[in-house]
Amino acid sequence: MTGIFLQAFVYLIAAVIAVPLAKRLGLGSVLGYLIAGVVIGPIIGLVGEETTTIQHFAEFGVVMMLFLVGLELEPKMLWAMRNRLMGLGGLQVGGTVAAIMGIALYFDQPWTIALAIGLIFALSSTAIVLQTFSEKGLTKTEGGQNAFSVLLFQDIAVIPMLAFIPLLALPELIEQAQSAAQTAAAHHEELSLVAGLPGWAYGIVITASIAIVVVGGHFLSRPLLNYVASSGLREIFTATALMLVIGIAALMSLVGLSPALGTFLAGVVLANSEFRHELESNIEPFKGLLLGLFFITVGAGINFSVLFGDFWLVMALTIGVMVLKALVLFILALIFRVKGSNRWLFTLSLAQAGEFGFVLLSFSVQNHVIPFELSQTLALVVAISMFLTPGLFILFDRVILPRFESQSNERESDTIEETGTVIIAGIGRFGQIVNRLLVSNGVTTVVLDHQSDQVDNMRQIGTRAYFGDATRPDMLHTAGIEHAAALVVAIDNQESSVELVKYVKHTYPKVTVIARAFDRGHGYLLRQAGADIIESETYHSALEMGGHTMKALGIHPFFVEQQKATYKRVEARKSEILYKAWEDDSEGERYDNNFRQLFIQLEEKMAEEMQKDRHDKLSRSERGWTPPPKGYADDFNEDNVQELTPPREEPIQR
């Protein structure tokens, strides 16, 4: 027992040290796990023989991951993906198998071994790719969705591959591979419901198993989960979620199907369940830990003696496989018209071999298809290609993606054919609302944005926008800044927004500059630059949300509005004092201790003001809104709250 505790401690401390460090360096968590495995395995030697056994256990993380993926996909969504699923996925697997088989035949490998090698290397790493997509927010991109379609087809294709590989057995290998087969048999359970069955009976068992998962998941899961949820015990619900995943995986293994595919199918069936999010939250921690453990074992399992014995051969095979797969994927991306950076994301993300490659490789040795000595070299190729994959994502992030973004923005600025009363710099989520309000009230606007794709998107929905950098004086001149009444600064780059305000107020002092501030510090810089009106992008929405929260807690809307008015008044006064302190003490560059102390004091003052009883103080600021009608409190409900009319604000006298 002590040995188990020590081994668990070694794996956990390796992950705790390596993964946060890798994330901080921008390498991603997957590469952190792989590096941790290499350190505790081949380099230090803290783990050894048990690595293979743990890896088989940790592969269950992939099973859980596909269950969670299935929970996010509704059946109608899968049907909508059918073209990419069968087209992209089928052609990728077929094209990769054919290409690798052809090269293996060229190097005098028997056609059975060549075909088996092609099947092994046709698969990509579902675990690494989906985990990285999730971390980097690439799942919803065109390249990410296409990659997912291919990965899903590959997981489905594992089933016929496992059924087909035994047919490739070489008679001359059967005798000499017996011991090797026994060593590799740990990947597969000896228990089987289909052993020795004729083909027709095997087909019936397979169909019945899938039907049990689909029908049971649809009709039996809801009463079961309702029963468990009624207990009110979270740990029992967690146990139920694990029971479902493990039970389905066991059933699939017993009938010779992929556990990952079975759990994925179950996830799809449960995607419309009201318990979907609860299941997801209970399975997610186990998935994360097991996947991390799996990546560590991949790194720890690299056999450096075999690697250094044929170093150049192994590296040449690894690079060759990745380049070949990338070439097939790139051609498919061209055929299916995947454009821009998404084409490279699709190509690079799937260029590696995958964890199911270990399963097929072990199964091939067990069934006397591939010699044990060759399997060790091929296992190294699979592991190293997975090890190199995070580097491909880094290449995409730091080299390819910036290049495409710069290219998309290198086109010539649009010719501005009109002038407007208001010029809006930036048509993102903030500038769009400003523009809609002004245009709907008959105000002529000229909208500028330096992101060409954003401009194109706006044009598609009927919003007139021009591609151009508003920080350039010539572009502002073309837009008619000399005759404009106001400039709205809503660009995302904080430094550029400050410089733009500074230039416009210096060159065109009569133009009213209204600027969006990201935070208090940015607002001070904009004010220092000369902005006439500054609005924080979160201030009003946060204040409104606070008011709604108070109403939801049962606080009377009359009092809520009173407190909001008080907050605005005190905040306006406080902001002025803080700005002077920031400008005088910090010289506009840093927050010093005096500023922080003053901020704390003013926060305390805010609390005092909010707690005062001011029912008899009928100041203009407090009665600038319409109070509720007489008897309102007698029949208080949420509909009444919605009917409160907001105050009419008087225009600011300039």
Side-chain angles (χ1 to χ4, degrees):
M1 195 68 182
T2 305
I4 296 175
F5 284 143
L6 288 174
Q7 291 295 334
F9 179 74
V10 169
Y11 281 103
L12 289 173
I13 197 172
V16 168
I17 294 174
V19 176
L21 184 60
K23 287 278 290 183
R24 185 168 296 180
L25 296 174
L27 302 178
S29 65
V30 175
L31 188 55
Y33 285 120
L34 292 170
I35 293 172
V38 171
V39 172
I40 66 175
I43 295 179
I44 300 179
L46 293 177
V47 297
E49 296 291 332
E50 81 287 346
T51 299
T52 303
T53 305
I54 293 176
Q55 187 173 11
H56 301 159
F57 171 73
E59 284 175 1
F60 192 63
V62 180
V63 173
M64 288 184 169
M65 180 182 65
L66 284 174
F67 177 73
L68 293 178
V69 169
L71 284 176
E72 299 293 331
L73 294 176
E74 298 180 9
K76 62 181 182 181
M77 188 183 300
L78 278 178
W79 178 251
M81 305 169 50
R82 64 189 184 278
N83 293 330
R84 285 186 299 182
L85 191 66
M86 300 303 298
L88 267 177
L91 289 174
Q92 184 274 327
V93 171
T96 305
V97 170
I100 292 177
M101 183 180 177
I103 294 175
L105 290 172
Y106 178 80
F107 286 100
D108 299 325
Q109 291 290 342
W111 74 269
T112 52
I113 295 179
L115 180 55
I117 293 173
L119 294 174
I120 291 167
F121 287 135
L123 305 177
S124 302
S125 176
T126 303
I128 290 179
V129 175
L130 293 189
Q131 178 81 356
T132 308
F133 277 176
S134 178
E135 287 182 6
K136 297 181 178 293
L138 299 171
T139 306
K140 301 297 184 181
T141 61
E142 183 186 4
Q145 290 178 340
N146 286 323
F148 174 75
S149 300
V150 172
L151 289 170
L152 184 56
F153 183 87
Q154 290 176 358
D155 292 336
I156 297 172
V158 169
I159 301 169
M161 289 181 183
L162 289 171
F164 181 70
I165 281 177
L167 303 177
L168 302 176
L170 296 175
E172 61 268 22
L173 283 179
I174 294 178
E175 291 292 331
Q176 72 182 59
Q178 286 293 335
S179 59
Q182 292 173 2
T183 304
H187 245 313
H188 305 278
E189 301 290 340
E190 294 182 1
L191 294 175
S192 177
L193 297 178
V194 295
L197 291 179
W200 63 270
Y202 179 74
I204 292 175
V205 172
I206 295 291
T207 305
S209 301
I210 294 175
I212 289 172
V213 173
V214 175
V215 176
H218 187 72
F219 293 104
L220 301 180
S221 62
R222 183 168 293 158
L224 172 63
L225 295 173
N226 270 319
Y227 169 73
V228 174
S230 65
S231 69
L233 299 173
R234 184 177 178 85
E235 62 271 21
I236 299 299
F237 201 100
T238 303
T240 306
L242 289 173
M243 179 194 73
L244 288 174
V245 177
I246 293 172
I248 294 167
L251 175 63
M252 294 295 107
S253 295
L254 286 171
V255 299
L257 295 180
S258 166
L261 179 65
T263 51
F264 172 80
L265 187 61
V268 172
V269 173
L270 294 170
N272 291 320
S273 170
E274 62 268 30
F275 297 100
R276 172 184 130 191
H277 297 293
E278 187 68 20
L279 287 168
E280 187 174 356
S281 64
N282 282 283
I283 295 294
E284 182 71 34
F286 296 97
K287 183 264 298 185
L289 281 174
L290 288 175
L291 272 184
L293 183 60
F294 172 76
F295 294 135
I296 292 176
T297 58
V298 169
I302 294 178
N303 192 331
F304 273 53
S305 60
V306 177
L307 175 61
F308 291 131
D310 293 303
F311 180 80
W312 295 113
L313 174 63
V314 172
M315 294 307 297
L317 287 173
T318 304
I319 300 297
V321 167
M322 296 182 74
V323 169
L324 191 63
K325 290 190 72 173
L327 184 61
V328 172
L329 290 163
F330 191 81
I331 293 172
L332 289 176
L334 291 174
I335 295 173
F336 283 83
R337 298 179 180 179
V338 182
K339 299 179 180 179
S341 60
N342 287 297
R343 179 186 302 164
W344 287 100
L345 176 63
F346 174 72
T347 300
L348 296 177
S349 64
L350 301 176
Q352 78 292 122
E355 54 276 352
F356 283 118
F358 292 116
V359 177
L360 292 183
L361 188 58
S362 174
F363 196 60
S364 299
V365 175
Q366 182 185 2
N367 287 275
H368 323 301
V369 178
I370 294 178
F372 180 72
E373 293 76 15
L374 178 60
S375 72
Q376 286 191 305
T377 302
L378 296 179
L380 271 176
V381 174
V382 174
I384 295 174
S385 70
M386 293 171 68
F387 196 91
L388 295 176
T389 299
L392 296 180
F393 279 104
I394 295 172
L395 174 68
F396 174 78
D397 284 338
R398 299 184 180 181
V399 178
I400 296 175
L401 189 59
R403 182 172 296 180
F404 272 92
E405 288 178 347
S406 62
Q407 286 178 356
S408 65
N409 294 325
E410 282 177 358
R411 77 185 195 192
E412 292 186 4
S413 301
D414 294 333
T415 302
I416 301 177
E417 301 171 347
E418 60 183 348
T419 57
T421 307
V422 178
I423 298 174
I424 300 177
I427 194 64
R429 55 187 173 84
F430 195 92
Q432 288 178 37
I433 298 175
V434 177
N435 185 62
R436 287 197 201 105
L437 179 63
L438 294 175
V439 171
S440 62
N441 283 276
V443 179
T444 308
T445 63
V446 177
V447 178
L448 301 173
D449 200 291
H450 71 288
Q451 295 288 340
S452 61
D453 54 346
Q454 185 68 18
V455 172
D456 294 337
N457 290 335
M458 289 298 101
R459 288 176 176 175
Q460 289 177 4
I461 59 175
T463 300
R464 285 192 296 182
Y466 297 96
F467 172 73
D469 188 356
T471 61
R472 288 169 46 192
D474 59 329
M475 182 58 62
L476 284 176
H477 174 73
T478 307
I481 188 68
E482 297 95 337
H483 309 290
L487 169 70
V488 176
V489 181
I491 57 181
D492 292 333
N493 190 299
Q494 297 187 33
E495 294 181 0
S496 297
S497 65
V498 173
E499 291 300 319
L500 175 59
V501 171
K502 192 179 297 183
Y503 168 76
V504 172
K505 292 306 297 182
H506 180 267
T507 312
Y508 309 101
K510 294 183 179 181
V511 176
T512 302
V513 176
I514 306 153
R516 179 267 298 263
F518 286 84
D519 50 33
R520 189 182 297 273
H522 185 221
Y524 292 166
L525 291 172
L526 289 168
R527 181 173 176 179
Q528 194 178 54
D532 299 289
I533 301 171
I534 303 164
E535 288 292 344
S536 173
E537 65 175 3
T538 57
Y539 176 76
H540 294 286
S541 56
L543 192 60
E544 288 299 314
M545 186 169 289
H548 287 304
T549 305
M550 292 174 69
K551 292 174 185 177
L553 295 174
I555 300 175
H556 199 284
F558 192 99
F559 183 74
V560 173
E561 296 298 325
Q562 185 182 51
Q563 294 300 86
K564 284 165 61 178
T566 302
Y567 188 97
K568 290 179 181 178
R569 175 169 50 81
V570 177
E571 174 63 29
R573 188 170 67 246
K574 183 179 76 171
S575 181
E576 182 68 25
I577 297 171
L578 286 174
Y579 174 72
K580 295 297 183 182
W582 174 84
E583 191 175 40
D584 296 338
D585 298 338
S586 303
E587 299 179 356
E589 295 179 358
R590 62 180 179 85
Y591 295 108
D592 67 356
N593 290 329
N594 292 335
F595 178 88
R596 292 190 181 94
Q597 289 298 324
L598 182 60
F599 186 89
I600 294 171
Q601 292 174 11
L602 290 172
E603 283 293 293
E604 294 172 353
K605 183 67 176 176
M606 171 76 78
E608 291 176 8
E609 289 283 337
M610 298 290 285
Q611 293 172 6
K612 283 183 179 178
D613 184 10
R614 302 181 322 279
H615 289 295
D616 58 340
K617 298 179 181 179
L618 304 180
S619 68
R620 180 182 178 279
S621 63
E622 293 173 338
R623 297 301 301 271
W625 49 274
T626 304
K630 186 177 180 180
Y632 176 80
D634 299 334
D635 188 28
F636 176 74
N637 57 60
E638 192 166 342
D639 293 335
N640 295 126
V641 176
Q642 301 301 325
E643 290 171 3
L644 284 175
T645 56
R648 288 180 60 87
E649 296 185 1
E650 297 180 5
I652 299 173
Q653 301 296 326
R654 295 187 57 83

